[in-house]
Amino acid sequence: MVNLGELRNTAMQKISEMRAELPVKAAEMLDQRIRAITAGLSANELRAITRGESPTEKPNPRYKLQTKSFLFHLRPRYYQRASTWFSHTFRLGWLSVFTFFVETFTGIILMVFYTPIPTQAYADILNIMANVPFGRFMRDLHRLGAEMMVISVFLHMVRVYFTGSYKGERSFTWLTGVVLLLLTLLLSFSGYLLPWDQLAYWAVTIGTSMAEAMPVIGTQVNLLLRGAPDIGAGGLLRFYLLHVLFVPLIAILVISIHYYKVSREHSISLPASVEEGEMDPAEKKKALERVDFIPDLITHEIFLTSLVTFIMVLFVLFIPIAPLETHANYNATPLDTEAPWYFLWVQGMLKLGDKTLMGVILPGAIFTLLAAIPYIDRNPSRLARNRKLEITLGILFIALLGVLSYFGTPKALIEQPPATRIVQDMIPQEGEGEVRTLPFSQLKVGRYTTDMDFATVNGTPGLKQVMVDLQQKIKQKADKLPGAKGTVEIADVQVDGSGQTELKQVIMRIAWTDPQRGDQVYEKVIFLHRDAAHTAK
Amino acid sequence: MIRLQITLGLVLILAASTVVLIIGVRDIATDHLTRVQDEQHARSVEVGADLFYINCSRCHGEDGKGTAGLCPPLNDRTFFESRLKDIGYAGTLRAYVNSVISSGRPVSTRPQLYAGQMPTWSNVYGGPLRPDQIDNLTDFILNWQATAMSGAQPAKPEPEKAASPEDLGKQVFQRAACIACHAIGNNGGAVGPNLTKVADDAQKFIADPNYKGQAKTPQDFIRESIMNPNAFVVPGFQPNIMPQNFGQTLKPNEIDGLVAYLSTLK
């Protein structure tokens, strides 16, 4: 006979026992799940980390991450305090990687709205700016990130050079760094073409024509890059694929190698003063103590991420940085073609000599020399006082880059016809200039000359200023423009429904008498619409 | 230090999110993007005006009033209001304007009023302009809509009294819209070579080692260039831009007249 009452009691007892165990079991299971995801860190441990407390278990579970977690295997277990001094690294390596991530994120979003076809690309950029919420924001961030990446990679390299951190076991890391510099420049430059505006088209035409100057294989390399003798649909697609796929993939690989070397093999260098200098033993001990990756370094990295994100976002809110010129026009070479600023030094060199020598052989030699620095410099000391020659050469090299970059600016070393120059300065082909930014209401129909009485245009101070400046500029070049007279003509073109003119024609003309060629005239005609952004209403 | 960085970091993330929110509100909830569109349209009209001035104004007039007997006014109320109905075009006026500029008018649709041929302009069909430039031109032309004059009539056609072949040629030069692409003096387009001194230039081109045509005299060279424009393409210009069919569309005496007229330009 089964005693039902007893059975019921036993069952009730079992259930209450299980109930009592349940929270413990659930907690255990939860802990297991958490540990599986965090590669060994318990919930308590995570809590301790965010509160900056010491490890909750022994051995220190925070050191296991580097072997157990894929994402953390690239990261260090700890650095010595002195190698994390801000004045030693300036966080430039971190900044380079951070901007790479910004570029990836904003770039993928921009890709959603972009088609790499000549008939569509420019319209897509216009659409991103005028129709896509956050479109202009993403584009500005992408541009800002690109500029920052070039700057931070360059400065990182300068820092490593001047602290002598490329020596010994770090020589290979330096080599990967030189490769990363090249990849950064290539990433930035390949993105240059994509908006398919005049700036893009001609900067890349010049860039690839340098490839053409390479001995023996030049023509083939140029064809390979452009997809045809001139940049067209093929060239755009190739640069797009380079920009969004090929170069980023290689960059991720090389960044990983570079990072792994630093974090897992030889660590960030110590300041030379700590490594070789004479220091108070107590201070030295403090300088050499461990700073753990978790929680100190990772917290710092996340802090820097939020800081720089904030700065970037705020920057583009106030300063729209991504330019867009007029649609690419292969029939019209712009008057002032400018390479991106980080290639101005090459453009400067090109003005000084032969395309093959200055555009290919010398830049190639410079990068080769850069890569070879650790193998040439056999001086074992990293202290500045033992490296006077290296440091002087470094400063000279940077100064040289600066001077060459100045030579590379459009106006340096190139003498343009004076009248063309004056008109281009006041009404540039691209961008705004003094005339386009005149308030629309000041474009009073009429004919104004530099020899008239400017009091008659007192009612329109902006227009008066244009005439004064035109007169001034002509005067400055009086020796080259004998008997010159400047004219500005403003005429109505179209009126809108309310009877207001909304489109005007502006002609700027300079007439002079050339001693050899007689009477000369240079003129430029533009149209200005009331609603165009450059004309204030 | 850790606590401080976490706190500051959180504040910064909140601040950055606020900025993003501001941009979002500006882009989505205000008319900011509409204003950007207006600006882009305004720029497009500016570019279109420039293209019109260079390429179209010789025939259609700087103010869009057309040329009597040659080509119709565009700054015209009937054009904006009834043209599509008159010809039974089902699409939009924008599409109509865009397609007419792009492909041109090989044959006039109203020869009794406007006898001129409209050249092909889009490079898709062998013309000199890119599709985005056609869009700019369309924006410019449609921008006349608000004020298009009613019943704008171009000035009276000049009677075609061809006393000499040269005079006939001069008229044909205007009527066949040669001037839209070829300038004589300061007057005319820049799509094709300048013809101010075409007779002298012809002499030079015949002597050019790259010249593969049949002509021996400037007259023959000019005739060949009209009948078969690709026989010699002046350096700096593209082949296939000039219509290939003037030999069929012009009468023999008109071509004779053109050759006679152009041969006087030295």
Side-chain angles (χ1 to χ4, degrees):
Chain A
M1 274 291 280
V2 179
N3 186 334
L4 276 176
E6 213 170 280
L7 196 62
R8 188 172 158 273
N9 283 345
T10 323
M12 290 300 284
Q13 201 179 344
K14 278 264 178 220
I15 288 171
S16 67
E17 270 170 25
M18 279 165 73
R19 267 196 191 146
E21 276 172 20
L22 201 61
V24 182
K25 282 228 162 143
E28 259 172 36
M29 280 170 70
L30 191 65
D31 192 54
Q32 270 178 16
R33 291 299 113 217
I34 291 176
R35 281 174 194 264
I37 293 167
T38 62
L41 300 182
S42 70
N44 270 343
E45 185 62 32
L46 286 176
R47 186 165 171 274
I49 286 171
T50 52
R51 296 166 72 91
E53 290 164 3
S54 11
T56 55
E57 291 164 39
K58 275 186 180 175
N60 186 346
R62 297 173 191 178
Y63 286 170
K64 277 192 265 169
L65 283 183
Q66 279 76 2
T67 42
K68 284 184 144 185
S69 153
F70 171 73
L71 288 178
F72 283 90
H73 86 284
L74 278 177
R75 317 312 315 278
R77 287 195 166 88
Y78 59 87
Y79 286 133
Q80 284 168 307
R81 184 164 301 283
S83 34
T84 68
W85 285 347
F86 186 82
S87 58
H88 179 54
T89 68
F90 304 99
R91 311 291 183 260
L92 290 164
W94 170 85
L95 187 60
S96 311
V97 176
F98 172 72
T99 46
F100 184 81
F101 279 111
V102 172
E103 292 310 272
T104 310
F105 176 74
T106 52
I108 287 174
I109 290 176
L110 289 171
M111 279 170 76
V112 173
F113 300 97
Y114 178 80
T115 321
I117 300 175
T119 49
Q120 191 61 43
Y122 186 77
D124 281 347
I125 305 290
L126 289 179
N127 185 56
I128 286 173
M129 313 249 277
N131 249 334
V132 180
F134 296 110
R136 161 134 228 180
F137 178 57
M138 284 298 140
R139 193 165 174 258
D140 285 335
L141 270 185
H142 196 69
R143 173 73 179 206
L144 177 65
E147 308 283 33
M148 282 172 61
M149 189 168 156
V150 175
I151 295 172
S152 68
V153 169
F154 174 75
L155 290 181
H156 182 44
M157 209 141 196
V158 169
R159 193 284 289 178
V160 170
Y161 179 80
F162 283 113
T163 59
S165 303
Y166 52 81
K167 304 192 177 200
E169 58 182 350
R170 295 195 175 84
S171 52
F172 179 74
T173 316
W174 169 269
L175 186 67
T176 58
V178 174
V179 174
L180 282 172
L181 174 69
L182 282 172
L183 288 175
T184 304
L185 295 178
L186 191 56
L187 264 178
S188 187
F189 188 65
S190 59
Y192 226 74
L193 183 65
L194 306 188
W196 205 246
D197 61 352
Q198 280 287 77
L199 178 73
Y201 188 84
W202 291 99
V204 175
T205 297
I206 295 172
T208 46
S209 77
M210 269 161 40
E212 199 175 17
M214 281 158 74
V216 188
I217 52 168
T219 316
Q220 297 308 317
V221 172
N222 187 41
L223 267 181
L224 199 63
L225 278 172
R226 292 185 179 180
D230 289 315
I231 296 175
L236 180 57
L237 185 59
R238 281 164 200 219
F239 271 80
Y240 176 73
L241 290 174
L242 275 179
H243 186 68
V244 305
L245 204 66
F246 187 69
V247 188
L249 281 181
I250 296 181
I252 288 172
L253 183 72
V254 184
I255 289 172
S256 307
I257 295 171
H258 190 83
Y259 229 106
Y260 196 83
K261 281 261 166 202
V262 175
S263 64
R264 299 303 299 280
E265 195 178 334
H266 51 59
S267 175
I268 300 178
S269 67
L270 284 166
S273 57
V274 176
E275 200 172 64
E276 299 175 34
E278 287 150 18
M279 260 183 118
D280 175 58
E283 254 181 63
K284 185 151 186 168
K285 196 178 165 215
K286 191 158 190 292
L288 295 182
E289 76 182 12
R290 288 180 174 191
V291 180
D292 284 338
F293 178 67
I294 295 172
D296 302 73
L297 300 179
I298 194 169
T299 313
H300 186 59
E301 282 182 2
I302 295 171
F303 167 71
L304 287 178
T305 302
S306 35
L307 177 70
V308 178
T309 306
F310 174 68
I311 293 173
M312 289 179 78
V313 163
L314 200 66
F315 184 96
V316 298
L317 176 69
F318 292 108
I319 306 172
I321 186 179
L324 187 65
E325 294 194 344
T326 50
H327 193 288
N329 185 349
Y330 24 82
N331 290 326
T333 320
L335 216 46
D336 300 328
T337 322
E338 193 171 78
W341 60 266
Y342 44 83
F343 279 141
L344 278 179
W345 59 280
V346 185
Q347 200 170 11
M349 291 206 312
L350 285 172
K351 286 185 191 170
L352 297 175
D354 171 66
K355 206 159 112 175
T356 309
L357 177 69
M358 292 299 188
V360 182
I361 297 177
L362 268 185
I366 287 174
F367 279 106
T368 313
L369 188 71
L370 212 55
I373 284 176
Y375 313 102
I376 298 170
D377 175 13
R378 307 309 298 177
N379 177 357
S381 174
R382 292 178 49 223
L383 278 171
R385 63 166 180 268
N386 299 333
R387 299 179 66 228
K388 286 187 183 123
L389 178 67
E390 289 98 311
I391 288 176
T392 316
L393 285 177
I395 292 171
L396 281 179
F397 179 71
I398 291 171
L400 181 68
L401 279 185
V403 172
L404 286 175
S405 297
Y406 168 73
F407 287 166
T409 53
K411 289 183 193 177
L413 303 185
I414 289 183
E415 182 82 15
Q416 271 162 342
T420 313
R421 187 69 255 167
I422 292 172
V423 175
Q424 165 73 358
D425 284 343
M426 298 190 75
I427 313 178
Q429 283 171 332
E430 301 293 343
E432 309 204 306
E434 206 177 326
V435 173
R436 286 200 185 91
T437 48
L438 267 184
F440 194 76
S441 56
Q442 300 221 355
L443 293 171
K444 215 171 107 191
V445 173
R447 186 163 181 280
Y448 312 94
T449 56
T450 47
D451 54 8
M452 70 189 278
D453 176 12
F454 292 155
T456 54
V457 280
N458 272 344
T460 48
L463 182 59
K464 186 177 169 185
Q465 192 57 45
V466 166
M467 294 313 297
V468 171
D469 290 346
L470 181 60
Q471 190 187 43
Q472 192 67 29
K473 283 173 194 283
I474 289 177
K475 244 185 220 162
Q476 280 166 6
K477 304 208 170 170
D479 52 328
K480 287 173 198 143
L481 295 172
K485 179 172 137 179
T487 312
V488 172
E489 276 179 39
I490 301 173
D492 282 330
V493 181
Q494 284 184 341
V495 284
D496 69 8
S498 60
Q500 295 260 323
T501 52
E502 63 174 20
L503 190 67
K504 296 198 192 228
Q505 184 189 48
V506 179
I507 304 175
M508 184 175 275
R509 185 180 300 122
I510 296 176
W512 72 100
T513 315
D514 189 280
Q516 273 102 49
R517 292 183 296 167
D519 288 347
Q520 300 287 315
V521 176
Y522 178 80
E523 73 169 26
K524 179 163 183 168
V525 183
I526 59 161
F527 292 85
L528 291 175
H529 192 286
R530 192 187 51 201
D531 298 337
H534 42 67
T535 52
K537 276 151 203 142
Chain B
M1 198 58 190
I2 287 181
R3 289 256 178 132
L4 179 70
Q5 291 189 72
I6 289 178
T7 318
L8 260 181
L10 281 174
V11 171
L12 287 167
I13 288 169
L14 276 177
S17 311
T18 312
V19 176
V20 173
L21 190 73
I22 291 171
I23 292 172
V25 168
R26 187 192 67 187
D27 282 3
I28 295 162
T30 73
D31 65 347
H32 174 76
L33 289 185
T34 318
R35 281 213 311 278
V36 177
Q37 284 160 21
D38 287 348
E39 281 166 22
Q40 288 185 353
H41 174 257
R43 297 258 180 142
S44 176
V45 171
E46 287 178 357
V47 176
D50 199 37
L51 289 166
F52 189 88
Y53 180 79
I54 296 168
N55 298 298
C56 318
S57 62
R58 311 288 167 194
C59 301
H60 287 284
E62 279 186 31
D63 48 9
K65 287 181 191 159
T67 304
L70 177 62
C71 57
L74 302 170
N75 184 3
D76 175 23
R77 193 124 299 279
T78 54
F79 168 68
F80 283 102
E81 284 168 6
S82 53
R83 181 68 178 147
L84 294 189
K85 257 181 265 162
D86 291 350
I87 56 167
Y89 189 84
T92 61
L93 188 62
R94 168 171 291 275
Y96 174 73
V97 172
N98 203 301
S99 70
V100 172
I101 303 172
S102 296
S103 50
R105 279 256 190 269
V107 178
S108 168
T109 50
R110 291 169 285 181
Q112 67 289 5
L113 276 174
Y114 308 109
Q117 290 173 330
M118 168 95 164
T120 297
W121 289 101
S122 169
N123 61 10
V124 175
Y125 307 116
L129 299 181
R130 301 183 310 267
D132 61 286
Q133 292 176 310
I134 308 283
D135 289 341
N136 296 143
L137 271 173
T138 308
D139 278 335
F140 172 75
I141 288 165
L142 293 185
N143 209 42
W144 261 313
Q145 180 150 20
T147 51
M149 292 162 288
S150 44
Q153 283 304 321
K156 290 268 176 213
E158 287 172 29
E160 277 192 35
K161 276 189 287 178
S164 63
E166 286 87 354
D167 286 348
L168 174 66
K170 203 168 178 177
Q171 284 170 12
V172 173
F173 191 79
Q174 293 281 347
R175 204 187 65 216
C178 307
I179 198 166
C181 300
H182 295 283
I184 293 178
N186 287 326
N187 192 18
V191 174
N194 187 303
L195 302 181
T196 312
K197 292 184 173 171
V198 59
D200 285 349
D201 293 339
Q203 195 76 52
K204 277 181 227 153
F205 292 139
I206 293 169
D208 189 315
N210 290 327
Y211 176 64
K212 301 277 188 288
Q214 313 283 322
K216 300 279 185 289
T217 65
Q219 280 82 356
D220 289 349
F221 180 88
I222 292 170
R223 182 180 296 276
E224 184 180 64
S225 298
I226 297 169
M227 309 285 277
N228 176 17
N230 288 345
F232 179 79
V233 179
V234 176
F237 294 90
Q238 304 286 325
N240 299 321
I241 301 289
M242 176 155 159
Q244 308 283 314
N245 60 350
F246 282 124
Q248 288 93 56
T249 55
L250 296 177
K251 293 176 198 139
N253 69 327
E254 292 175 328
I255 293 178
D256 291 345
L258 262 182
V259 173
Y261 165 61
L262 293 173
S263 305
T264 64
L265 303 177
K266 293 183 182 178

